[in-house]
Amino acid sequence: MALTLFAHPFSAYCQKALVALYENATPFEFRFVNLGEEADAAALAALWPFRKFPVLVDGAAMVPEASIIIEHLDRHHPGPVRFLPEDSDAAIEARLIDRVVDNYLMTPMQKVVLDAIRPPEARDGFGVDQARAVIGTAYAWLDARLAGRSWAAGEAFSLADCGAAPGLLYADWVAPIPERFAALRAYRARLLARPSYARALDEARPYRHLFPLGDPGRD
């Protein structure tokens, strides 16, 4: 069955799913979704009423949420790179870091970004400060966790790295990673150099003007 990914190239969560697809050269059709277009928004809502992308269609199966998409690919379309380790403890570690990236990098990063597009009188400065503090805590935790590791959960590229690539890209744009977190900064550089993410990042470049805080001029 052909796979179809409903997504936008600039979305961090869409990039997360794309990294997994590109890692194993999994054939799929990319269905570009512009939520500003009524037809695109309606097509996405028909699949997933929350109107969030990415959504993967695999034959009769509709698979939402980037982490779930990656686990679906790992189970039903496996390739040389396995995103969940067979060892159960190692799999828990990969899932833990995936949750930290989504909840404590991606979510507060989006809080800062979305606040920038609010009308000035509706902005939440206190909430933005809290979000930046959460990002800082995540940086410290990840830096310590990465000590002695090549990838997030160990020596093998995993689910955790698929999300950390765009997560750290955009988080660093919002709150630059301090130089004292050398392990985290080096890990971010390895992610940027990974061919699967380099491809997703190149595909997103035409849309960098959409970043509400302005294109930072760096990857």
Side-chain angles (χ1 to χ4, degrees):
M1 287 288 185
L3 300 175
T4 302
L5 186 73
F6 289 75
H8 190 288
F10 197 62
S11 159
Y13 286 109
C14 294
Q15 290 176 19
K16 177 177 176 176
L18 285 168
V19 168
L21 288 161
Y22 292 157
E23 277 290 323
N24 285 324
T26 305
F28 73 102
E29 176 189 351
F30 186 92
R31 185 71 62 84
F32 184 95
V33 176
N34 178 356
L35 291 176
E37 295 289 337
E38 185 176 344
D40 283 11
L44 185 63
L47 292 169
W48 186 231
F50 299 102
R51 298 191 180 195
K52 298 288 187 180
F53 42 41
V55 170
L56 181 74
V57 174
D58 182 4
M62 185 283 298
V63 188
E65 300 295 322
S67 295
I68 306 304
I69 287 171
I70 293 169
E71 293 213 32
H72 177 88
L73 292 171
D74 208 43
R75 177 173 295 185
H76 297 285
H77 301 274
V81 177
R82 301 309 302 266
F83 301 109
L84 268 301
E86 291 186 8
D87 178 81
S88 58
D89 287 341
I92 287 172
E93 177 72 2
R95 288 190 177 100
L96 170 62
I97 296 174
D98 177 68
R99 294 296 81 223
V100 168
V101 168
D102 277 5
N103 292 327
Y104 306 120
L105 279 185
M106 294 264 213
T107 296
M109 175 273 294
Q110 289 179 326
K111 167 67 177 177
V112 177
V113 170
L114 293 175
D115 193 76
I117 62 177
R118 286 180 168 186
E121 67 276 9
R123 288 181 182 162
D124 178 15
F126 179 76
V128 166
D129 288 344
Q130 286 185 313
R132 291 184 187 276
V134 171
I135 292 172
T137 299
Y139 285 164
W141 188 89
L142 287 166
D143 184 74
R145 203 78 171 191
L146 284 161
R149 296 179 177 180
S150 297
W151 300 107
E155 292 308 299
F157 194 89
S158 72
L159 164 69
D161 302 294
C162 294
L168 284 170
L169 176 87
Y170 289 124
D172 184 68
W173 286 7
V174 164
I177 301 171
E179 291 189 10
R180 68 181 182 276
F181 295 141
L184 184 60
R185 288 168 64 91
Y187 171 61
R188 183 179 182 275
R190 288 194 295 276
L191 290 170
L192 289 172
R194 185 86 176 185
S196 59
Y197 188 57
R199 177 178 174 182
L201 188 55
D202 281 343
E203 292 169 348
R205 290 187 192 282
Y207 306 98
R208 289 169 75 122
H209 64 280
L210 298 175
F211 194 65
L213 300 178
D215 184 345
R218 68 178 192 279
D219 289 338

